[in-house]
Amino acid sequence: MSKTSNQMWGGRFADQPDAIMEAINASIGFDKRLAAQDIAGSRAHAAMLAATGIISDSDAEAIREGLLTVLSEIEGGSFEFSTALEDIHMNVEARLKAVIGEPAGRLHTGRSRNDQVATDFRLWVRDQIDEAEGSLTRLIHALLAQAEAGAEWVMPGFTHLQTAQPVTWGHHMMAYVEMFGRDLSRVRDARKRMNESPLGAAALAGTGFPIDRHMTAQALGFDAPMANSLDAVSARDFALEFLSVASISAMHLSRFAEELVIWSSAQFRFVTLSDRFSTGSSIMPQKKNPDAAELIRAKIGRIFGANVALMMVMKGLPLAYSKDMQEDKEQVFDAADNWLLALAAMEGMVRDMTANVANLEKAASAGFSTATDLADWLVRETGLPFREAHHVTGALVALAEKTGRDLPDLTLDEMQAVHGNITASVYDVLGVHNSVASRRSYGGTAPDRVREQIARWKEAL
Protein backbone atom coordinates (compact mmCIF):
# COMPACT_ATOMS: atom_id res chain seq x y z
CA MET A 1 0.00 0.00 0.00
CA SER A 2 1.24 3.47 -0.80
CA LYS A 3 2.52 5.87 1.77
CA THR A 4 -0.13 8.32 0.58
CA SER A 5 -2.88 6.26 2.18
CA ASN A 6 -0.93 5.91 5.40
CA GLN A 7 -0.58 9.70 5.55
CA MET A 8 -4.31 10.06 5.03
CA TRP A 9 -4.89 8.05 8.19
CA GLY A 10 -2.35 10.21 10.05
CA GLY A 11 0.44 9.25 12.43
CA ARG A 12 -1.47 6.63 14.42
CA PHE A 13 -0.44 3.72 12.18
CA ALA A 14 3.18 2.69 11.70
CA ASP A 15 2.70 -0.43 9.58
CA GLN A 16 1.05 -0.66 6.20
CA PRO A 17 -2.06 -2.88 5.83
CA ASP A 18 -1.46 -5.92 3.69
CA ALA A 19 -3.21 -6.69 0.41
CA ILE A 20 -6.09 -8.58 2.04
CA MET A 21 -6.90 -5.68 4.31
CA GLU A 22 -6.72 -3.30 1.39
CA ALA A 23 -9.11 -5.48 -0.61
CA ILE A 24 -11.71 -5.80 2.14
CA ASN A 25 -11.42 -2.19 3.27
CA ALA A 26 -11.51 -0.38 -0.06
CA SER A 27 -14.88 0.80 -1.36
CA ILE A 28 -13.74 2.88 -4.32
CA GLY A 29 -14.75 0.10 -6.71
CA PHE A 30 -18.38 1.00 -6.11
CA ASP A 31 -18.61 4.27 -4.20
CA LYS A 32 -17.00 6.15 -7.08
CA ARG A 33 -20.62 6.46 -8.22
CA LEU A 34 -20.93 9.10 -5.50
CA ALA A 35 -18.33 11.38 -7.10
CA ALA A 36 -20.72 14.13 -8.20
CA GLN A 37 -22.47 14.14 -4.85
CA ASP A 38 -19.17 14.10 -2.95
CA ILE A 39 -17.86 17.09 -4.85
CA ALA A 40 -21.15 18.98 -4.47
CA GLY A 41 -21.00 18.42 -0.70
CA SER A 42 -17.38 19.55 -0.55
CA ARG A 43 -18.10 22.70 -2.52
CA ALA A 44 -20.95 23.60 -0.17
CA HIS A 45 -18.77 22.86 2.86
CA ALA A 46 -15.89 24.99 1.57
CA ALA A 47 -18.19 27.92 0.83
CA MET A 48 -19.59 27.69 4.36
CA LEU A 49 -16.10 27.51 5.92
CA ALA A 50 -15.21 30.75 4.15
CA ALA A 51 -18.50 32.47 5.03
CA THR A 52 -17.98 31.68 8.71
CA GLY A 53 -14.33 32.81 8.65
CA ILE A 54 -12.94 29.34 9.35
CA ILE A 55 -10.87 29.39 6.15
CA SER A 56 -9.90 32.29 3.91
CA ASP A 57 -11.84 33.30 0.82
CA SER A 58 -8.75 32.63 -1.30
CA ASP A 59 -8.47 29.08 0.01
CA ALA A 60 -12.17 28.53 -0.56
CA GLU A 61 -11.89 29.78 -4.14
CA ALA A 62 -8.89 27.51 -4.80
CA ILE A 63 -10.83 24.58 -3.39
CA ARG A 64 -13.88 25.42 -5.50
CA GLU A 65 -11.88 25.66 -8.72
CA GLY A 66 -9.88 22.56 -7.87
CA LEU A 67 -13.00 20.52 -7.18
CA LEU A 68 -14.45 21.57 -10.53
CA THR A 69 -11.24 20.38 -12.19
CA VAL A 70 -11.47 17.02 -10.38
CA LEU A 71 -15.13 16.65 -11.36
CA SER A 72 -14.27 17.42 -14.98
CA GLU A 73 -11.57 14.74 -14.93
CA ILE A 74 -13.96 12.17 -13.45
CA GLU A 75 -16.74 12.97 -15.90
CA GLY A 76 -14.25 12.96 -18.78
CA GLY A 77 -12.91 9.55 -17.84
CA SER A 78 -9.31 10.61 -17.28
CA PHE A 79 -9.38 10.34 -13.47
CA GLU A 80 -7.40 7.39 -12.08
CA PHE A 81 -9.14 5.87 -9.06
CA SER A 82 -6.88 4.20 -6.50
CA THR A 83 -7.85 1.36 -4.18
CA ALA A 84 -4.95 2.41 -1.95
CA LEU A 85 -6.91 5.57 -1.21
CA GLU A 86 -9.86 3.47 -0.06
CA ASP A 87 -12.91 5.50 -1.07
CA ILE A 88 -14.26 8.31 -3.21
CA HIS A 89 -13.62 10.89 -0.47
CA MET A 90 -9.90 10.16 -0.20
CA ASN A 91 -9.50 9.83 -3.95
CA VAL A 92 -11.03 13.26 -4.52
CA GLU A 93 -9.10 14.87 -1.68
CA ALA A 94 -5.76 13.42 -2.83
CA ARG A 95 -6.33 14.64 -6.37
CA LEU A 96 -7.44 18.04 -5.09
CA LYS A 97 -4.16 18.34 -3.18
CA ALA A 98 -2.22 17.47 -6.32
CA VAL A 99 -4.13 20.17 -8.22
CA ILE A 100 -4.13 23.07 -5.72
CA GLY A 101 -1.63 22.12 -3.03
CA GLU A 102 -1.90 23.23 0.60
CA PRO A 103 -5.44 24.70 0.60
CA ALA A 104 -6.82 21.18 -0.07
CA GLY A 105 -5.83 20.20 3.45
CA ARG A 106 -8.23 22.78 4.91
CA LEU A 107 -11.31 21.35 3.19
CA HIS A 108 -11.87 18.68 5.81
CA THR A 109 -12.07 21.18 8.68
CA GLY A 110 -15.21 20.68 10.76
CA ARG A 111 -16.33 17.47 9.15
CA SER A 112 -15.55 13.72 9.07
CA ARG A 113 -15.81 11.01 6.49
CA ASN A 114 -18.77 9.82 8.60
CA ASP A 115 -20.97 12.83 7.90
CA GLN A 116 -19.44 13.19 4.44
CA VAL A 117 -20.51 9.74 3.27
CA ALA A 118 -23.91 10.08 4.92
CA THR A 119 -24.43 13.30 2.98
CA ASP A 120 -23.17 11.88 -0.31
CA PHE A 121 -25.38 8.83 0.02
CA ARG A 122 -28.49 10.85 0.86
CA LEU A 123 -27.88 13.07 -2.14
CA TRP A 124 -27.47 10.02 -4.39
CA VAL A 125 -30.60 8.31 -3.10
CA ARG A 126 -32.52 11.56 -3.46
CA ASP A 127 -31.45 11.70 -7.12
CA GLN A 128 -32.74 8.15 -7.64
CA ILE A 129 -36.04 9.04 -5.98
CA ASP A 130 -36.40 11.93 -8.41
CA GLU A 131 -35.67 9.58 -11.31
CA ALA A 132 -38.23 7.08 -9.99
CA GLU A 133 -40.86 9.80 -9.66
CA GLY A 134 -40.41 10.68 -13.31
CA SER A 135 -40.44 7.02 -14.39
CA LEU A 136 -43.58 6.24 -12.42
CA THR A 137 -45.32 9.30 -13.84
CA ARG A 138 -44.49 8.24 -17.39
CA LEU A 139 -45.70 4.69 -16.74
CA ILE A 140 -48.99 6.00 -15.33
CA HIS A 141 -49.47 8.16 -18.44
CA ALA A 142 -48.90 5.10 -20.64
CA LEU A 143 -51.50 3.14 -18.66
CA LEU A 144 -53.96 6.03 -18.89
CA ALA A 145 -53.58 6.03 -22.67
CA GLN A 146 -54.38 2.31 -22.79
CA ALA A 147 -57.33 2.79 -20.42
CA GLU A 148 -58.76 5.64 -22.48
CA ALA A 149 -58.50 3.66 -25.71
CA GLY A 150 -60.19 0.62 -24.18
CA ALA A 151 -62.72 2.11 -21.77
CA GLU A 152 -65.46 0.04 -23.45
CA TRP A 153 -63.51 -3.06 -24.47
CA VAL A 154 -64.83 -6.05 -22.56
CA MET A 155 -62.52 -8.68 -21.10
CA PRO A 156 -62.77 -11.35 -18.43
CA GLY A 157 -62.04 -10.40 -14.86
CA PHE A 158 -60.42 -13.17 -12.85
CA THR A 159 -60.21 -14.49 -9.35
CA HIS A 160 -57.96 -17.51 -8.74
CA LEU A 161 -57.10 -17.10 -12.46
CA GLN A 162 -60.61 -18.40 -13.14
CA THR A 163 -63.18 -16.38 -15.08
CA ALA A 164 -65.16 -14.36 -12.56
CA GLN A 165 -67.06 -11.39 -14.03
CA PRO A 166 -66.69 -9.27 -17.16
CA VAL A 167 -64.71 -6.06 -16.76
CA THR A 168 -63.42 -3.49 -19.19
CA TRP A 169 -59.87 -3.23 -20.46
CA GLY A 170 -59.83 0.33 -19.25
CA HIS A 171 -60.83 -0.76 -15.75
CA HIS A 172 -58.01 -3.31 -15.65
CA MET A 173 -55.47 -0.73 -16.78
CA MET A 174 -56.75 1.72 -14.18
CA ALA A 175 -56.16 -0.84 -11.43
CA TYR A 176 -52.44 -0.56 -12.18
CA VAL A 177 -52.71 3.22 -12.35
CA GLU A 178 -53.94 3.11 -8.76
CA MET A 179 -51.10 0.77 -7.71
CA PHE A 180 -48.36 2.79 -9.35
CA GLY A 181 -50.05 5.95 -8.13
CA ARG A 182 -49.59 4.76 -4.56
CA ASP A 183 -45.96 4.00 -5.41
CA LEU A 184 -45.64 7.57 -6.65
CA SER A 185 -47.10 8.81 -3.36
CA ARG A 186 -44.66 6.67 -1.37
CA VAL A 187 -41.73 8.00 -3.41
CA ARG A 188 -42.76 11.57 -2.67
CA ASP A 189 -43.28 10.85 1.01
CA ALA A 190 -39.89 9.16 1.27
CA ARG A 191 -38.19 12.14 -0.34
CA LYS A 192 -39.69 14.54 2.18
CA ARG A 193 -38.63 12.39 5.10
CA MET A 194 -35.04 11.90 4.01
CA ASN A 195 -34.38 15.45 2.82
CA GLU A 196 -32.33 16.55 5.83
CA SER A 197 -28.59 17.17 5.82
CA PRO A 198 -26.09 15.16 7.90
CA LEU A 199 -23.23 17.46 6.88
CA GLY A 200 -21.55 19.09 9.87
CA ALA A 201 -22.34 16.30 12.31
CA ALA A 202 -18.63 15.42 11.93
CA ALA A 203 -17.59 12.04 13.32
CA LEU A 204 -20.56 11.69 15.70
CA ALA A 205 -20.63 14.55 18.22
CA GLY A 206 -20.63 17.67 16.10
CA THR A 207 -17.68 20.06 15.96
CA GLY A 208 -16.20 22.93 17.96
CA PHE A 209 -15.74 25.04 14.84
CA PRO A 210 -18.41 27.73 14.34
CA ILE A 211 -19.90 26.09 11.25
CA ASP A 212 -23.27 26.97 9.74
CA ARG A 213 -25.13 23.72 9.04
CA HIS A 214 -28.21 25.54 7.81
CA MET A 215 -26.12 27.18 5.10
CA THR A 216 -24.77 23.87 3.77
CA ALA A 217 -28.18 22.25 4.03
CA GLN A 218 -29.74 25.00 1.93
CA ALA A 219 -26.89 24.93 -0.61
CA LEU A 220 -27.45 21.19 -1.17
CA GLY A 221 -31.23 21.47 -1.46
CA PHE A 222 -32.03 19.94 1.92
CA ASP A 223 -34.95 21.26 3.94
CA ALA A 224 -32.90 21.45 7.15
CA PRO A 225 -29.89 19.95 8.92
CA MET A 226 -30.49 16.76 10.88
CA ALA A 227 -31.14 17.62 14.51
CA ASN A 228 -28.94 15.00 16.20
CA SER A 229 -25.32 14.39 15.23
CA LEU A 230 -25.34 10.75 16.36
CA ASP A 231 -28.40 10.05 14.26
CA ALA A 232 -27.00 12.00 11.33
CA VAL A 233 -23.97 9.76 10.85
CA SER A 234 -25.58 6.45 11.81
CA ALA A 235 -29.02 6.59 10.16
CA ARG A 236 -29.56 4.55 7.03
CA ASP A 237 -33.32 4.32 7.25
CA PHE A 238 -33.52 6.71 4.28
CA ALA A 239 -31.85 3.99 2.18
CA LEU A 240 -34.05 1.31 3.74
CA GLU A 241 -37.16 3.33 2.99
CA PHE A 242 -35.99 3.76 -0.59
CA LEU A 243 -35.55 -0.02 -0.84
CA SER A 244 -38.93 -0.61 0.78
CA VAL A 245 -40.66 1.72 -1.67
CA ALA A 246 -38.76 0.13 -4.54
CA SER A 247 -39.73 -3.36 -3.35
CA ILE A 248 -43.45 -2.56 -3.20
CA SER A 249 -43.33 -0.92 -6.61
CA ALA A 250 -41.29 -3.82 -7.97
CA MET A 251 -43.94 -6.22 -6.70
CA HIS A 252 -46.54 -4.29 -8.70
CA LEU A 253 -44.31 -4.44 -11.76
CA SER A 254 -43.88 -8.17 -11.33
CA ARG A 255 -47.63 -8.79 -11.06
CA PHE A 256 -48.24 -6.88 -14.27
CA ALA A 257 -45.31 -8.61 -15.97
CA GLU A 258 -46.84 -11.97 -15.03
CA GLU A 259 -50.13 -10.95 -16.61
CA LEU A 260 -48.40 -9.84 -19.78
CA VAL A 261 -46.60 -13.17 -20.01
CA ILE A 262 -49.94 -15.00 -19.67
CA TRP A 263 -51.89 -12.64 -21.91
CA SER A 264 -49.37 -12.83 -24.75
CA SER A 265 -49.38 -16.65 -24.80
CA ALA A 266 -50.99 -18.64 -27.60
CA GLN A 267 -53.57 -19.94 -25.14
CA PHE A 268 -54.80 -16.42 -24.26
CA ARG A 269 -53.84 -14.07 -27.11
CA PHE A 270 -55.18 -11.10 -25.19
CA VAL A 271 -52.30 -8.82 -26.17
CA THR A 272 -49.58 -8.58 -28.77
CA LEU A 273 -46.31 -7.19 -27.48
CA SER A 274 -44.16 -5.19 -29.88
CA ASP A 275 -41.02 -6.62 -31.43
CA ARG A 276 -39.04 -4.05 -29.45
CA PHE A 277 -39.81 -5.92 -26.22
CA SER A 278 -39.87 -9.50 -27.49
CA THR A 279 -37.34 -12.01 -28.78
CA GLY A 280 -37.44 -15.11 -30.93
CA SER A 281 -36.27 -18.66 -30.38
CA SER A 282 -33.01 -20.06 -31.69
CA ILE A 283 -34.76 -23.28 -32.72
CA MET A 284 -38.53 -22.65 -32.89
CA PRO A 285 -39.31 -20.12 -35.64
CA GLN A 286 -42.91 -19.57 -34.51
CA LYS A 287 -41.94 -18.25 -31.09
CA LYS A 288 -42.25 -14.65 -29.94
CA ASN A 289 -41.11 -14.58 -26.35
CA PRO A 290 -42.14 -11.85 -23.86
CA ASP A 291 -38.57 -11.62 -22.57
CA ALA A 292 -38.79 -8.05 -21.28
CA ALA A 293 -41.73 -9.00 -19.05
CA GLU A 294 -39.96 -12.15 -17.88
CA LEU A 295 -36.79 -10.23 -17.04
CA ILE A 296 -38.76 -7.65 -15.08
CA ARG A 297 -40.36 -10.51 -13.15
CA ALA A 298 -36.92 -11.95 -12.37
CA LYS A 299 -35.08 -8.71 -11.56
CA ILE A 300 -37.57 -7.97 -8.82
CA GLY A 301 -35.87 -10.61 -6.65
CA ARG A 302 -32.69 -8.54 -6.63
CA ILE A 303 -34.59 -5.55 -5.27
CA PHE A 304 -36.28 -7.63 -2.56
CA GLY A 305 -32.89 -9.15 -1.73
CA ALA A 306 -31.25 -5.74 -1.37
CA ASN A 307 -33.94 -4.67 1.07
CA VAL A 308 -33.41 -7.72 3.26
CA ALA A 309 -29.61 -7.51 2.98
CA LEU A 310 -29.41 -3.92 4.21
CA MET A 311 -31.84 -4.69 7.03
CA MET A 312 -29.48 -7.46 8.11
CA VAL A 313 -26.45 -5.14 7.96
CA MET A 314 -28.13 -2.49 10.11
CA LYS A 315 -30.07 -4.54 12.64
CA GLY A 316 -27.21 -5.17 15.09
CA LEU A 317 -25.23 -1.94 14.89
CA PRO A 318 -24.83 0.26 17.97
CA LEU A 319 -24.56 4.02 17.54
CA ALA A 320 -22.88 5.66 15.80
CA TYR A 321 -20.84 4.64 12.73
CA SER A 322 -19.47 1.15 12.11
CA LYS A 323 -17.53 -0.07 9.09
CA ASP A 324 -20.38 -2.50 8.44
CA MET A 325 -22.19 0.47 6.94
CA GLN A 326 -19.82 0.44 4.00
CA GLU A 327 -21.96 -2.49 2.83
CA ASP A 328 -25.00 -0.24 2.37
CA LYS A 329 -24.20 1.12 -1.05
CA GLU A 330 -23.78 -1.82 -3.41
CA GLN A 331 -27.21 -3.15 -2.45
CA VAL A 332 -28.88 0.20 -3.02
CA PHE A 333 -26.98 0.88 -6.24
CA ASP A 334 -28.06 -2.47 -7.70
CA ALA A 335 -31.67 -2.12 -6.57
CA ALA A 336 -31.95 1.40 -7.96
CA ASP A 337 -30.49 0.38 -11.31
CA ASN A 338 -32.85 -2.56 -11.67
CA TRP A 339 -35.97 -0.74 -10.44
CA LEU A 340 -35.46 2.17 -12.83
CA LEU A 341 -34.70 -0.22 -15.69
CA ALA A 342 -37.82 -2.27 -14.93
CA LEU A 343 -39.99 0.86 -14.80
CA ALA A 344 -38.66 2.02 -18.17
CA ALA A 345 -39.14 -1.39 -19.75
CA MET A 346 -42.71 -1.66 -18.45
CA GLU A 347 -43.55 1.79 -19.74
CA GLY A 348 -42.24 0.79 -23.16
CA MET A 349 -44.24 -2.44 -23.22
CA VAL A 350 -47.44 -0.70 -22.13
CA ARG A 351 -47.08 2.03 -24.75
CA ASP A 352 -46.39 -0.46 -27.53
CA MET A 353 -48.73 -3.34 -26.70
CA THR A 354 -51.87 -3.96 -28.71
CA ALA A 355 -55.01 -5.40 -27.14
CA ASN A 356 -56.68 -8.12 -29.19
CA VAL A 357 -60.20 -6.80 -28.65
CA ALA A 358 -62.08 -9.68 -30.29
CA ASN A 359 -60.24 -12.28 -28.23
CA LEU A 360 -60.84 -10.30 -25.06
CA GLU A 361 -64.58 -10.14 -25.69
CA LYS A 362 -64.80 -13.80 -26.64
CA ALA A 363 -63.03 -14.78 -23.45
CA ALA A 364 -65.24 -12.44 -21.42
CA SER A 365 -68.32 -14.25 -22.67
CA ALA A 366 -67.01 -17.69 -21.70
CA GLY A 367 -66.96 -19.39 -18.34
CA PHE A 368 -70.43 -18.23 -17.20
CA SER A 369 -69.03 -14.80 -16.43
CA THR A 370 -72.51 -13.24 -16.10
CA ALA A 371 -73.69 -15.67 -13.42
CA THR A 372 -73.48 -12.99 -10.74
CA ASP A 373 -75.56 -10.66 -12.92
CA LEU A 374 -78.21 -13.38 -13.09
CA ALA A 375 -78.21 -13.80 -9.33
CA ASP A 376 -78.45 -10.03 -8.83
CA TRP A 377 -81.35 -9.89 -11.30
CA LEU A 378 -83.21 -12.59 -9.35
CA VAL A 379 -82.79 -10.53 -6.17
CA ARG A 380 -83.96 -7.28 -7.77
CA GLU A 381 -86.76 -8.60 -9.97
CA THR A 382 -88.18 -11.58 -8.06
CA GLY A 383 -87.40 -10.60 -4.47
CA LEU A 384 -85.39 -13.76 -3.75
CA PRO A 385 -82.87 -13.56 -0.91
CA PHE A 386 -79.40 -13.49 -2.39
CA ARG A 387 -78.45 -16.92 -1.02
CA GLU A 388 -81.48 -18.49 -2.68
CA ALA A 389 -80.80 -16.57 -5.89
CA HIS A 390 -77.22 -17.89 -5.72
CA HIS A 391 -78.61 -21.45 -5.52
CA VAL A 392 -80.96 -20.94 -8.48
CA THR A 393 -78.16 -19.45 -10.56
CA GLY A 394 -75.92 -22.40 -9.68
CA ALA A 395 -78.57 -24.80 -10.94
CA LEU A 396 -78.84 -22.86 -14.23
CA VAL A 397 -75.03 -22.86 -14.61
CA ALA A 398 -75.02 -26.62 -14.07
CA LEU A 399 -77.70 -27.04 -16.75
CA ALA A 400 -75.82 -24.89 -19.25
CA GLU A 401 -72.55 -26.67 -18.50
CA LYS A 402 -74.16 -30.08 -18.90
CA THR A 403 -75.50 -29.17 -22.32
CA GLY A 404 -72.37 -27.36 -23.52
CA ARG A 405 -73.90 -23.89 -23.59
CA ASP A 406 -73.50 -20.57 -21.83
CA LEU A 407 -76.21 -18.86 -19.75
CA PRO A 408 -77.54 -16.59 -22.54
CA ASP A 409 -78.07 -19.72 -24.68
CA LEU A 410 -80.60 -21.27 -22.27
CA THR A 411 -84.22 -20.90 -23.34
CA LEU A 412 -86.77 -19.09 -21.19
CA ASP A 413 -88.66 -22.36 -20.70
CA GLU A 414 -85.47 -24.02 -19.37
CA MET A 415 -84.90 -21.16 -16.96
CA GLN A 416 -88.50 -21.12 -15.78
CA ALA A 417 -88.29 -24.84 -15.12
CA VAL A 418 -85.70 -24.00 -12.48
CA HIS A 419 -87.51 -20.93 -11.16
CA GLY A 420 -90.95 -19.95 -12.43
CA ASN A 421 -90.68 -16.20 -11.85
CA ILE A 422 -87.88 -15.68 -14.38
CA THR A 423 -89.02 -13.50 -17.28
CA ALA A 424 -87.59 -12.64 -20.70
CA SER A 425 -86.06 -9.44 -19.31
CA VAL A 426 -83.36 -11.60 -17.73
CA TYR A 427 -81.59 -11.66 -21.10
CA ASP A 428 -80.91 -7.93 -20.73
CA VAL A 429 -78.32 -8.65 -18.03
CA LEU A 430 -76.76 -11.78 -19.48
CA GLY A 431 -74.69 -10.10 -22.21
CA VAL A 432 -71.18 -9.06 -21.20
CA HIS A 433 -71.65 -5.48 -22.41
CA ASN A 434 -74.83 -5.15 -20.36
CA SER A 435 -72.98 -6.63 -17.41
CA VAL A 436 -70.12 -4.09 -17.42
CA ALA A 437 -72.46 -1.20 -18.13
CA SER A 438 -74.47 -2.07 -15.03
CA ARG A 439 -71.45 -1.91 -12.68
CA ARG A 440 -71.86 1.80 -12.05
CA SER A 441 -70.94 1.93 -8.37
CA TYR A 442 -68.00 4.20 -7.53
CA GLY A 443 -64.82 2.40 -8.61
CA GLY A 444 -66.81 0.03 -10.81
CA THR A 445 -66.02 -1.18 -14.30
CA ALA A 446 -68.75 0.67 -16.22
CA PRO A 447 -67.17 2.65 -19.07
CA ASP A 448 -68.41 6.01 -17.81
CA ARG A 449 -66.97 5.28 -14.36
CA VAL A 450 -63.64 4.34 -15.96
CA ARG A 451 -63.59 7.60 -17.90
CA GLU A 452 -64.27 9.52 -14.70
CA GLN A 453 -61.22 7.91 -13.09
CA ILE A 454 -59.08 8.63 -16.14
CA ALA A 455 -60.08 12.29 -15.98
CA ARG A 456 -59.36 12.42 -12.24
CA TRP A 457 -55.86 11.03 -12.75
CA LYS A 458 -55.10 13.32 -15.67
CA GLU A 459 -55.96 16.28 -13.50
CA ALA A 460 -53.96 14.91 -10.57
CA LEU A 461 -50.85 14.47 -12.70
Side-chain angles (χ1 to χ4, degrees), residues 356-370:
N356 299 326
V357 180
N359 288 349
L360 289 170
E361 183 164 341
K362 181 179 179 181
S365 303
F368 310 106
S369 64
T370 56

Side-chain angles (χ1 to χ4, degrees), residues 22 71 85 98 127 201 226 232 237 251 280 295 301-302 310 315 320 343 350 361 369 372-373 411 421 437 439 445:
E22 180 178 305
L71 179 61
L85 292 171
D127 288 344
M226 294 183 74
D237 54 347
M251 176 269 294
L295 287 167
R302 296 170 68 163
L310 186 52
K315 71 175 184 61
L343 284 168
V350 170
E361 183 164 341
S369 64
T372 305
D373 298 275
T411 67
N421 290 338
R439 306 290 173 181
T445 192

Side-chain angles (χ1 to χ4, degrees), residues 27-36 39 70-71 73-75 77-92 95:
S27 60
I28 189 60
F30 52 86
D31 70 14
K32 61 187 177 184
R33 292 186 67 168
L34 301 176
I39 290 172
V70 174
L71 179 61
E73 291 175 353
I74 292 172
E75 291 178 342
S78 62
F79 191 96
E80 293 186 12
F81 294 99
S82 167
T83 57
L85 292 171
E86 298 182 25
D87 55 32
I88 185 61
H89 324 298
M90 291 304 195
N91 270 263
V92 169
R95 181 57 185 153

Side-chain angles (χ1 to χ4, degrees), residues 64-120:
R64 188 188 77 84
E65 292 296 329
L67 286 170
L68 290 176
T69 298
V70 174
L71 179 61
S72 176
E73 291 175 353
I74 292 172
E75 291 178 342
S78 62
F79 191 96
E80 293 186 12
F81 294 99
S82 167
T83 57
L85 292 171
E86 298 182 25
D87 55 32
I88 185 61
H89 324 298
M90 291 304 195
N91 270 263
V92 169
E93 187 173 330
R95 181 57 185 153
L96 180 65
K97 184 176 181 180
V99 172
I100 68 171
E102 184 184 18
R106 297 188 174 92
L107 173 59
H108 210 53
T109 308
R111 74 174 182 183
S112 161
R113 278 195 294 178
N114 293 354
D115 62 332
Q116 189 178 359
V117 69
T119 302
D120 294 358

Side-chain angles (χ1 to χ4, degrees), residues 390-408:
H390 186 284
H391 178 77
V392 170
T393 302
L396 290 170
V397 168
L399 174 62
E401 189 172 36
K402 182 178 179 180
T403 57
R405 292 175 290 169
D406 204 350
L407 287 172

